[in-house]
Amino acid sequence: MSKTIVYDTLSIPDPSFIDDEVRMFGSWFGMSNICIFPTKMSGPFNNQNSSGDDKTERNIIHLKHKTMLFDPKVRQLVNESSGVFQELQTNVDDPTKATDALYYSRKYRAILSTCILAIDRNNLDKSNETYNQYKMLLHNLQLIWHLCEVLYLVTVPGDTILNNLLDWIKIHYENAENQASVITENKIVYLTDEHVEEKFTFYWDTVIGLVLQGNIDTARMLLSNHSQSDTEPFIHAIKIFKSMPTYSIYGGLPIAEYTSRFKGWQSSAKSKLECGIFLSDSNLNDVMKIICGDPDSTSLIRSHCSTWFQFLVAQLIYTDPTVKKHSLSLYAHRSVAKYYEESEYNHMDTLALDLFDGDLEGFVKKLKSYPDSGWSSTHLTNLLHLCDKIEPEFEMSEVVENTNPNEQYLLDYGTFLMTHHSLWQAGVTYLDYCSAVGKEHLSMLLSKLEITSDLRVSKILHYATARRLHNVVSSVCKVKGMLSLQKSRIGEALCWAIRGQDSAFATHLGDLYLKEYVKGGSFACPDILDNLGSIVVTCDRFMFIGKYIQFLKLAMGNKLNEAALLYIELLRSNICPNYFRLTLLMDVLMFIENSNECYFNIADMSLITMRLDDAITEWNEDNESDNQYLLSKVFNIRQGIVKLVSISLIRKKMTV
């Protein structure tokens, strides 16, 4: 375990800061970047820069948050844990399934182990300092997570915790067992050699390391294979090792009887130690001091432990093997005090002490500041919350949006993941389970995602549609529609407007369609216009276009009676835009060309005349000078109306 974690200080050199009046300012740029720039302050008597005459060059610096979670070699930690998290939430919501907190805790730890192995494979020579730091951070995180699991998620009958602590130590401190394997694999070498310590300089360190982890059987095997194993000191030591009583929480001796036997065994070993039986070999004598719980062995134990965690557990093996969980706090504080002063405690020390003290609330608060961008605090707090190990709400030390740490951490972590170009989908998973404000944040963050490809757009729309975030769908479709419009792809833009149900944007596109029709006499992308869908209900412009296209089809199909009824409906409805009125009025000529039939009554022709007068008035208000184009249009329309009236009168006389 590293003693300290060093945080880098970023220096931003800029010649502008030579001037005392220049200050540094910053603003958010995107979701995770900060834009830093120098600005010259203007006082009441120093307004020379207010007019913009300052020609000094200024640097603009973009600062982006760097995290190990975004490294390709560590990214699997995010992806795989997201799956476990979602599975856990699903099981909690299913009343037919019990939440096995220990099972999911081990799953998370397995992901950490896999990630550490992946880093090792990519840094075999240990030359990459960044990966070395990542490995250290993940190893420490695995250590503290496992301790939390041992103390709070593993069910221990009678609260006798030592065996679980030994398992914890053996998993994370494997040096003694690894060295023992090296020695046993080469035992032929030292069985024939009287100076085994010269062949394996770490021999006695290995034996002591095994004893300090309670691995008595392996330590006894090493002593039995020693070249001096047939001497009296070794024979007595091996017998003592063999006769050491062991305690099992799942059966065996009751605690009282085991304690009695253990004290008797240790008293017997201590008497032999005091008689000087082991003095002929100082290393063996040191081992027996540890076994006997001799107070003089404290410094020896400490010298063979790389952390106070090891020191704590090593002492408990031979001083209080049936220690209860509630007694660990006292032992933990004593152990850490033998390593350094309280002012020297690092983050890992304070986290471990909170766990030993039973202060889970303090633990999850401190875990939030671990340099893993909230990965551990989010998942472990969520796990502890779901198995009712911490209260749903408690007072947070910092100013946050709510007092529920589970939801607050999910919100922070999900928001953080949303800043990454590929991990944002995992961020959605966490925001889904923030019942209070998760949907609001998700709506805002999805809208801010950079649109880099059609595939990403499809994914964003999929997530937004599934969660009924209609404003996101509308916003994304509006952006895509505007991009299409910039490329003069009006039909494609209309498809996006229809998909986003954006009536305002659709109205704008409808105006473009109609103005294009006024110029060219035809509609672009007629297939799209034939399948407008529900946009005609929400957008007056496309309601008009839809009916107008229907009118044109009826007229072209020589169904003039039906066309006339629809034509009058269009004039009466007032949904025709002003700039298109003359074009619509010109269509009255369709009903008099090559025909002696009048399809309109007097009221209809009065309406046509009134709409023509309105169009002329509006045109004159918008255009100061006379326009020959307007005059010719009006003349043609009036001629058409006169002809319709004539046909109507002739038909009336013939009827009489």
Side-chain angles (χ1 to χ4, degrees), residues 101-113 116 137-156 161-174 309 313 325 328 348 351-352 355-356 360 363 367 370 375-376 379-381 383-384:
L102 184 59
Y103 168 76
Y104 287 105
S105 178
R106 287 172 176 168
K107 266 197 164 186
Y108 282 127
R109 286 200 297 111
I111 295 171
L112 281 171
S113 298
I116 291 172
L137 289 171
L138 293 176
H139 180 270
N140 287 350
L141 180 56
Q142 190 182 35
L143 178 75
I144 206 70
W145 185 303
H146 194 185
L147 177 60
C148 181
E149 177 185 300
V150 164
L151 294 178
Y152 295 96
L153 301 181
V154 178
T155 303
V156 183
I161 197 70
L162 182 60
N163 285 344
N164 290 332
L165 289 176
L166 284 173
D167 291 338
W168 169 58
I169 288 295
K170 288 175 184 177
I171 289 175
H172 298 285
Y173 299 94
E174 302 174 324
F309 303 136
V313 177
K325 189 164 69 174
L328 287 176
M348 286 291 291
L351 287 172
L355 290 175
F356 285 123
L360 271 181
F363 169 73
L367 191 61
Y370 193 80
W375 182 89
S376 57
H379 294 93
L380 189 50
T381 302
L383 186 62
L384 294 171

Side-chain angles (χ1 to χ4, degrees), residues 167-348:
D167 291 338
W168 169 58
I169 288 295
K170 288 175 184 177
I171 289 175
H172 298 285
Y173 299 94
E174 302 174 324
N175 189 49
E177 287 193 1
N178 292 338
Q179 289 178 339
S181 298
V182 172
I183 295 174
T184 53
E185 288 171 2
N186 296 273
K187 62 183 179 181
I188 297 176
V189 177
Y190 67 84
L191 279 173
T192 57
D193 197 317
E194 294 184 359
H195 302 287
V196 62
E197 296 90 343
E198 295 179 6
K199 293 291 183 181
F200 301 98
T201 56
F202 52 84
Y203 175 84
W204 283 109
D205 287 337
T206 303
V207 173
I208 293 176
L210 292 169
V211 169
L212 295 181
Q213 292 185 359
N215 199 338
I216 299 300
D217 291 337
T218 306
R220 178 167 56 86
M221 181 188 68
L222 291 182
L223 292 180
S224 299
N225 289 329
H226 193 277
S227 56
Q228 302 295 318
S229 61
D230 56 353
T231 61
E232 185 179 2
F234 277 82
I235 291 173
H236 282 288
I238 292 170
K239 285 182 178 179
I240 291 172
F241 274 47
K242 192 173 183 179
S243 61
M244 180 180 177
T246 56
Y247 176 72
S248 174
I249 57 177
Y250 302 104
L253 300 174
I255 291 180
E257 186 175 347
Y258 168 78
T259 302
S260 177
R261 288 193 183 186
F262 180 81
K263 288 182 177 179
W265 166 82
Q266 200 171 55
S267 178
S268 175
K270 191 178 295 185
S271 63
K272 292 179 181 179
L273 177 67
E274 292 172 351
C275 290
I277 292 177
F278 309 109
L279 287 175
S280 60
D281 191 308
S282 60
N283 290 307
L284 184 60
N285 193 62
D286 287 340
V287 171
M288 297 314 296
K289 280 185 176 182
I290 296 172
I291 289 288
C292 295
D294 192 324
D296 294 338
S297 65
T298 300
S299 59
L300 175 65
I301 295 174
R302 186 186 183 285
S303 65
H304 282 82
C305 295
S306 59
T307 66
W308 66 269
F309 303 136
Q310 291 176 283
F311 179 69
L312 165 66
V313 177
Q315 283 199 308
L316 290 175
I317 297 172
Y318 305 105
T319 57
D320 193 356
T322 59
V323 62
K324 300 295 182 70
K325 189 164 69 174
H326 63 79
S327 301
L328 287 176
S329 177
L330 177 62
Y331 287 121
H333 283 276
R334 286 178 179 176
S335 297
V336 72
K338 293 182 185 299
Y339 266 72
Y340 30 73
E341 298 295 329
E342 185 173 352
S343 59
E344 298 176 314
Y345 291 0
N346 60 31
H347 197 195
M348 286 291 291

Side-chain angles (χ1 to χ4, degrees), residues 441-480:
H441 277 68
L442 185 57
S443 176
M444 178 186 66
L445 294 170
L446 282 175
S447 300
K448 285 189 174 183
L449 286 175
E450 185 179 359
I451 296 177
T452 55
S453 66
D454 289 340
L455 178 60
R456 170 173 276 204
V457 171
S458 298
K459 289 179 178 179
I460 295 173
L461 293 177
H462 168 74
Y463 283 112
T465 304
R467 290 154 182 79
R468 299 182 180 180
L469 300 175
H470 304 301
N471 60 322
V472 176
V473 175
S474 177
S475 174
V476 173
C477 290
K478 179 68 171 288
V479 172
K480 285 294 293 181

Side-chain angles (χ1 to χ4, degrees), residues 320-585:
D320 193 356
T322 59
V323 62
K324 300 295 182 70
K325 189 164 69 174
H326 63 79
S327 301
L328 287 176
S329 177
L330 177 62
Y331 287 121
H333 283 276
R334 286 178 179 176
S335 297
V336 72
K338 293 182 185 299
Y339 266 72
Y340 30 73
E341 298 295 329
E342 185 173 352
S343 59
E344 298 176 314
Y345 291 0
N346 60 31
H347 197 195
M348 286 291 291
D349 298 327
T350 57
L351 287 172
L353 287 173
D354 280 340
L355 290 175
F356 285 123
D357 290 340
D359 185 8
L360 271 181
E361 294 181 0
F363 169 73
V364 297
K365 288 178 185 178
K366 292 185 179 71
L367 191 61
K368 186 71 170 71
S369 59
Y370 193 80
D372 64 348
S373 300
W375 182 89
S376 57
S377 60
T378 299
H379 294 93
L380 189 50
T381 302
N382 176 254
L383 186 62
L384 294 171
H385 167 74
L386 294 179
C387 63
D388 298 323
K389 295 297 180 181
I390 56 175
E391 293 295 328
E393 296 184 359
F394 59 80
E395 185 179 353
M396 304 291 286
S397 57
E398 65 272 12
V399 178
V400 293
E401 295 184 23
N402 59 68
T403 57
N404 186 327
N406 177 48
E407 287 198 4
Q408 185 62 45
Y409 293 171
L410 291 177
L411 184 66
D412 292 344
Y413 183 65
T415 302
F416 166 73
L417 292 182
M418 291 288 289
T419 65
H420 192 263
H421 63 88
S422 65
L423 297 178
W424 64 270
Q425 296 172 79
V428 174
T429 302
Y430 296 91
L431 293 175
D432 278 341
Y433 292 96
C434 299
S435 58
V437 292
K439 191 172 183 178
E440 297 174 10
H441 277 68
L442 185 57
S443 176
M444 178 186 66
L445 294 170
L446 282 175
S447 300
K448 285 189 174 183
L449 286 175
E450 185 179 359
I451 296 177
T452 55
S453 66
D454 289 340
L455 178 60
R456 170 173 276 204
V457 171
S458 298
K459 289 179 178 179
I460 295 173
L461 293 177
H462 168 74
Y463 283 112
T465 304
R467 290 154 182 79
R468 299 182 180 180
L469 300 175
H470 304 301
N471 60 322
V472 176
V473 175
S474 177
S475 174
V476 173
C477 290
K478 179 68 171 288
V479 172
K480 285 294 293 181
M482 292 301 294
L483 291 174
S484 299
L485 195 57
Q486 289 175 4
K487 299 175 183 177
S488 299
R489 299 174 182 172
I490 301 179
E492 186 178 289
L494 178 57
C495 288
W496 286 113
I498 294 172
R499 186 170 182 179
Q501 291 296 298
D502 189 338
S503 58
F505 186 47
T507 298
H508 174 67
L509 294 175
D511 288 333
L512 294 179
Y513 270 97
L514 290 175
K515 289 175 181 178
E516 188 68 26
Y517 182 85
V518 171
K519 290 180 181 178
S522 63
F523 285 110
C525 305
D527 293 340
I528 297 176
L529 295 177
D530 287 339
N531 299 278
L532 291 174
S534 60
I535 193 69
V536 298
V537 179
T538 58
C539 177
D540 288 346
R541 195 69 77 243
F542 274 100
M543 183 183 294
F544 171 78
I545 291 176
K547 287 183 175 295
Y548 185 70
I549 290 176
Q550 184 182 356
F551 158 72
L552 291 177
K553 287 182 178 180
L554 290 172
M556 297 300 178
N558 206 30
K559 297 178 180 179
L560 295 180
N561 284 319
E562 296 176 36
L565 293 174
L566 187 54
Y567 182 75
I568 295 300
E569 181 184 341
L570 288 174
L571 289 175
R572 187 178 289 118
S573 64
N574 282 326
I575 59 174
C576 176
N578 295 342
Y579 60 82
F580 198 77
R581 281 187 177 178
L582 282 176
T583 302
L584 180 61
L585 288 166

